[in-house]
Amino acid sequence: MKKRSRVAEQIKESIIENLIRVSGVSAILFVFAIFFFVFREGSSFLFKGFNVKEFFTSIEWYPTSQSHVRYGALALIVGTLSVTSLAMVIAVPFGLGAAIYISEFCSPKVRETFKIVIEMLAAIPSVVWGFIGLTIMNSLIIQIFNAPIGLTMLNGGIILALMSVPIIVSIGEDALKAVPDSYREAALALGCTRWQMVYRVLLPAARNGLLAAALLGVGRAVGETMAVLMATGHSIRIPKSLLEPVRTLTATIAAELGEAPVHSEHYQVLFIIGILLFTITFIINLTADLIVKGIRNK
Amino acid sequence: MLKAAGLVLLAVSSSLFVSCLYGRSSQSAAGVAKRTIQNTGSDTMVNLAQAWAEAYAHVNDEVSIEVSGGGSGTGIAALIENTVDIANCSRRMEPMEIKKAKEHTGKDPVEFLVGYDALAIYVHRDNPIDSLSIEELAEIYGEHGKITRWSQLGVTLPKGARDEIMVVSRQSNSGTYHYFREAVIGKKRDMRLGTIDMHGSKDVVELVSRTPSAIGYSGMGYANDRVKMLRICRKKGEPAYAPTIENTQNGKYPIARPLLMYTLGEPNETIRKYLDWILSPEGQHIVKLSGYVPVHPEEELQVAGGKQQ
C-alpha cells in the first residue's frame, strides 16, 4: 500500500513539474511566434520597395491616395512619443509619490485600502478610459482652456497617465519594500526626519527599482490603443502645443487595418508599424529588466 | 445501421444543396414555393436595402430577399460573376466593369436609380458664411490647399473664435470620406494633412456644433440647431444651392451621389416587380426614413414630409 502511494505521488509530482515546464516554455514560444508572424506579414514589403527614409522622416501619411501613395510615419511616431512623454511627466511624480506614501507613511489599514483602489484603477478597461476622454475630458478641456477642441495631446496624456499610474505605484512600492529596514533604522537613529530618510536614503537605495517602475509605465503608455484612438483627435500633424490633436502609431493600426486589403502594401506597412512598436516596447522592457537585475546583483 | 444513416444524411444534404442552387437561378420557374432575390453591395445602402427587404415581405410573401453588404465593389464583382440578382452601388459602374460583365455573361448591366445620398457641408451656427464653391472647398480640404483662414474667404468670425479653419474630416476607411475626396478634391489630389478625423457622421456634426472655427462634411440627416448647412455651387459666381431634397433630386446640389441598383440584362418578372415597388411611393418613403433622398419630387408631396424644411 505504502509503496503504491509513493509511486503515485512521484507520478503526480512529475506530471505537475512537466506542466509547469510546458507553461514556462510556451510563454517564450508565444512571444517568439507573435514576433515571427508580425514580422512575416510585414517582411515582404519591408525588404522590397519599402522606403525607410520616407517612413522615418516624412509626415505625409497617405496610404489610400489614388495618385501618389506615401507612407511617412514621422508624425505618428512623434505623436506616440509626445503623448507618452506627457503621460510620464504626469504619472511618474504622482505614481512614485503614491508609492512612497503607501510604503512609508500610512498605516497598514490605509495601505490595504489604497492598494485595492489602485488595483481597481488598473482593472478599468481601456475603452472606458477612452469614453472618459471623449466625453468628460473633452468638454472639460474646452471649458478650461477655451480650446477649439478637447480631443488633444493633453487629453490623451492625462488618460494615459491615469492608466499607467497603477503599474508605477505597485512596482515602485515593491522596490521600496525591498530596501532593508536596517537602512531606515540607521537613518532615523542618526537623527534624520522621515522625509530626510526617504529623500536621502530610501530613494537612492531603491533608485533602480523605481526607474524600472517608470519604464514599465512607459511601456504601458506606448502600447495603449483604444484610449488614445478615442481621446487624441486622430489628426496627422506634429503638435506645436499641448492643445493640438495628434495621432499615435497604435491608433493608426487600429483605425486602418480594417480597411486595408489583406497582403496589400498598406496592410504590410501597418504590420511594419507593428514591428516598430514591438521593438520600442521590447527595448523598454529589456532596459527595465536589466535595471531590476542590477539591483539584485548589488 | 451507421452506414445507412450516413447515406440518408448525405442524400438530404445534397438535395438541400441542389435546391439551394436552383432556388436562386430559376426564380421564374413554377413549382418553387418561395423565390429568393439575392441583393449584395454598397455598405452605404445596406440598411436601406434591408429596410426594403423587410417591408417587401409584407407586400409579397412569395419572394424573400437576401441582403448583404461588403461594398459597391463587392456587389459589382458578384454581378460580373453572375452570382447575384441585384447589385447595390453607391457609384456608377465604370466602363471597364460594364465591359467585363458583358464579356463574362453576355448581358449588359441595367441601371436603376433608386435614391440619392447628399453630403452637407456644416459650419457652426455663429459662422456668418452661407455659401461656398466646390473650388473653395477643394482649397480648404485639399493637400497644400491655399485656404487655411476664414479671413481668406472674407469671413470674420464672432469674437473669441480663431481665424484658422479647423478642418474636420472622416477616417479614411469611411465611404463618405472616399466619396467626398472624389467629388470635391478629385482623384489627382489628396486630403490636407492635419485634418481632425472623426469616427462617425454624427461625431462630425457634434464637433462642428461646439467649435465656431470648424468646417465638416456629413449626411444632411444629421443637422441640429447649433450648426448650419452651407449652400454649395460648382464654380464661384454661379448660384449656390442648399442641400435640400428638392435640390438633390433636380441635380442642382453638387455633392450628391446616386444610389443605384444593377441587374444583368432586363430583370425577370419577380425582380422587376420588386424594383417597381422600390420606386413606388411606399418604397421611396423608406428611402426618406433611412435618411436618404427619394428619386422623385412628387414623393415628397405624396408622403407628406414637409418636416425636412
Side-chain angles (χ1 to χ4, degrees):
Chain A
M1 261 319 264
K2 246 185 178 171
K3 207 175 175 190
R4 252 183 90 182
S5 76
R6 178 175 269 178
V7 171
E9 201 88 323
Q10 274 179 349
I11 294 175
K12 216 159 93 186
E13 192 94 330
S14 75
I15 289 176
I16 291 173
E17 210 180 289
N18 279 320
L19 272 179
I20 292 173
R21 183 170 297 140
V22 167
S23 335
V25 173
S26 65
I28 296 173
L29 275 181
F30 285 142
V31 171
F32 278 102
I34 291 171
F35 189 74
F36 172 74
F37 284 113
V38 170
F39 194 77
R40 194 188 63 175
E41 291 295 337
S43 61
S44 71
F45 184 55
L46 185 61
F47 295 119
K48 236 185 276 164
F50 177 63
N51 188 341
V52 181
K53 197 181 157 208
E54 180 188 71
F55 187 76
F56 286 107
T57 58
S58 159
I59 65 162
E60 295 184 355
W61 177 257
Y62 285 115
T64 60
S65 167
Q66 287 176 314
S67 55
H68 181 198
V69 175
R70 278 149 291 171
Y71 303 111
L74 181 64
L76 312 179
I77 296 170
V78 172
T80 294
L81 294 183
S82 58
V83 169
T84 307
S85 358
L86 177 63
M88 287 308 116
V89 166
I90 303 168
V92 169
F94 268 96
L96 295 186
I100 292 169
Y101 176 71
I102 288 174
S103 91
E104 306 300 321
F105 289 94
C106 65
S107 67
K109 221 179 194 172
V110 177
R111 176 184 308 167
E112 287 315 307
T113 326
F114 258 98
K115 281 177 114 171
I116 291 170
V117 171
I118 283 168
E119 272 159 26
M120 274 166 61
L121 206 59
I124 297 173
S126 64
V127 71
V128 174
W129 285 117
F131 271 141
I132 294 171
L134 191 61
T135 54
I136 300 168
M137 297 281 302
N138 182 25
S139 42
L140 271 180
I141 290 176
I142 291 175
Q143 276 170 27
I144 295 172
F145 297 99
N146 192 24
I149 178 174
L151 302 176
T152 53
M153 190 178 133
L154 180 65
N155 192 337
I158 292 174
I159 296 286
L160 283 184
L162 286 168
M163 292 178 78
S164 31
V165 156
I167 288 183
I168 298 179
V169 172
S170 54
I171 295 178
E173 200 219 337
D174 283 346
L176 288 171
K177 231 193 263 160
V179 176
D181 271 343
S182 57
Y183 282 40
R184 298 183 177 82
E185 284 155 10
L188 293 175
L190 286 171
C192 288
T193 63
R194 280 188 88 182
W195 170 240
Q196 283 168 333
M197 183 264 284
V198 167
Y199 182 63
R200 290 285 173 81
V201 179
L202 272 189
L203 288 189
R207 190 184 64 215
N208 291 340
L210 297 176
L211 199 57
L215 281 179
L216 286 176
V218 173
R220 170 92 165 113
V222 168
E224 173 46 41
T225 305
M226 207 55 220
V228 285
L229 177 62
M230 293 165 85
T232 57
H234 211 56
S235 170
I236 304 169
R237 61 170 94 191
I238 306 261
K240 292 187 197 71
S241 79
L242 290 183
L243 293 173
E244 268 189 44
V246 291
R247 193 198 259 208
T248 64
L249 293 164
T250 47
T252 303
I253 298 181
E256 293 183 2
L257 196 59
E259 72 175 291
V262 178
H263 299 315
S264 64
E265 275 187 10
H266 183 193
Y267 179 87
Q268 295 187 14
V269 166
L270 292 178
F271 272 91
I272 292 173
I273 292 184
I275 296 172
L276 179 66
L277 276 169
F278 206 125
T279 318
I280 295 174
T281 44
F282 182 73
I283 291 172
I284 291 169
N285 278 4
L286 196 69
T287 319
D289 225 48
L290 291 177
I291 289 172
V292 171
K293 216 174 244 160
I295 318 177
R296 295 232 182 87
N297 290 345
K298 251 183 194 169
Chain B
M1 258 315 267
L2 259 176
K3 225 175 187 178
L7 275 177
V8 170
L9 209 78
L10 193 73
V12 169
S13 58
S14 57
S15 70
L16 267 176
F17 180 61
V18 169
S19 65
C20 279
L21 272 181
Y22 277 87
R24 204 194 66 68
S25 54
S26 64
Q27 275 120 11
S28 50
V32 181
K34 193 150 182 160
R35 282 163 293 185
T36 310
I37 299 177
Q38 297 281 353
N39 186 192
T40 301
S42 163
D43 278 326
T44 307
M45 291 169 70
V46 71
N47 288 333
L48 173 60
Q50 192 64 47
W52 273 328
E54 275 164 26
Y56 196 62
H58 301 292
V59 177
N60 185 348
D61 60 1
E62 281 172 17
V63 178
S64 86
I65 294 148
E66 286 174 11
V67 178
S68 60
S72 300
T74 313
I76 291 170
L79 196 74
I80 292 172
E81 299 292 326
N82 196 11
T83 56
V84 71
D85 298 307
I86 304 175
N88 296 339
C89 238
S90 53
R91 60 174 172 88
R92 292 220 138 75
M93 272 179 86
E94 284 168 22
M96 195 59 208
E97 291 165 338
I98 293 173
K99 211 179 119 199
K100 257 193 193 162
K102 175 100 185 168
E103 276 169 12
H104 263 259
T105 62
K107 291 178 194 162
D108 272 322
V110 181
E111 178 185 297
F112 295 87
L113 178 66
V114 294
Y116 294 100
D117 175 22
L119 265 193
I121 307 296
Y122 288 98
V123 294
H124 193 267
R125 179 185 55 189
D126 296 340
N127 192 329
I129 195 168
D130 67 1
S131 72
L132 274 176
S133 70
I134 294 282
E135 288 161 327
E136 285 167 329
L137 269 179
E139 286 307 311
I140 293 171
Y141 272 95
E143 194 185 6
H144 309 306
K146 290 187 193 76
I147 302 177
T148 57
R149 302 186 165 275
W150 286 108
S151 49
Q152 286 173 274
L153 293 162
V155 172
T156 318
L157 292 187
K159 65 170 168 39
R162 290 176 198 202
D163 189 30
E164 199 180 326
I165 302 176
M166 192 166 98
V167 184
V168 184
S169 180
R170 291 286 304 280
Q171 273 170 245
S172 59
N173 57 345
S174 134
T176 311
Y177 168 93
H178 280 269
Y179 168 67
F180 183 85
R181 185 176 68 184
E182 226 172 285
V184 171
I185 303 174
K187 284 188 179 178
K188 294 247 168 70
R189 206 166 157 196
D190 282 302
M191 256 329 168
R192 173 191 293 283
L193 279 174
T195 55
I196 293 165
D197 302 341
M198 303 306 285
H199 314 293
S201 301
K202 190 196 66 136
D203 290 354
V204 171
V205 183
E206 258 313 286
L207 183 59
V208 173
S209 72
R210 279 194 306 260
T211 315
S213 63
I215 187 167
Y217 59 89
S218 188
M220 57 192 248
Y222 293 94
N224 63 37
D225 57 0
R226 288 171 299 158
V227 293
K228 193 156 75 170
M229 292 191 273
L230 296 185
R231 290 184 295 124
I232 303 295
C233 57
R234 279 175 218 280
K235 285 215 170 70
K236 193 91 192 137
E238 286 180 8
Y241 295 95
T244 61
I245 290 184
E246 203 190 355
N247 285 339
T248 309
Q249 283 161 341
N250 58 25
K252 283 179 178 161
Y253 186 70
I255 330 175
R257 56 178 165 176
L259 302 177
L260 304 162
M261 282 181 151
Y262 283 95
T263 62
L264 263 183
E266 282 303 319
N268 66 30
E269 205 196 321
T270 313
I271 299 173
R272 173 99 244 169
K273 265 190 190 159
Y274 181 50
L275 289 170
D276 283 345
W277 174 81
I278 283 176
L279 293 171
S280 73
E282 201 182 336
Q284 289 294 301
H285 184 53
I286 292 173
V287 177
K288 209 167 154 187
L289 290 180
S290 303
Y292 297 111
V293 179
V295 181
H296 300 298
E298 306 93 77
E299 303 313 327
E300 202 181 327
L301 303 171
Q302 280 187 12
V303 189
K307 217 173 134 195
Q308 283 285 345
Q309 311 299 315

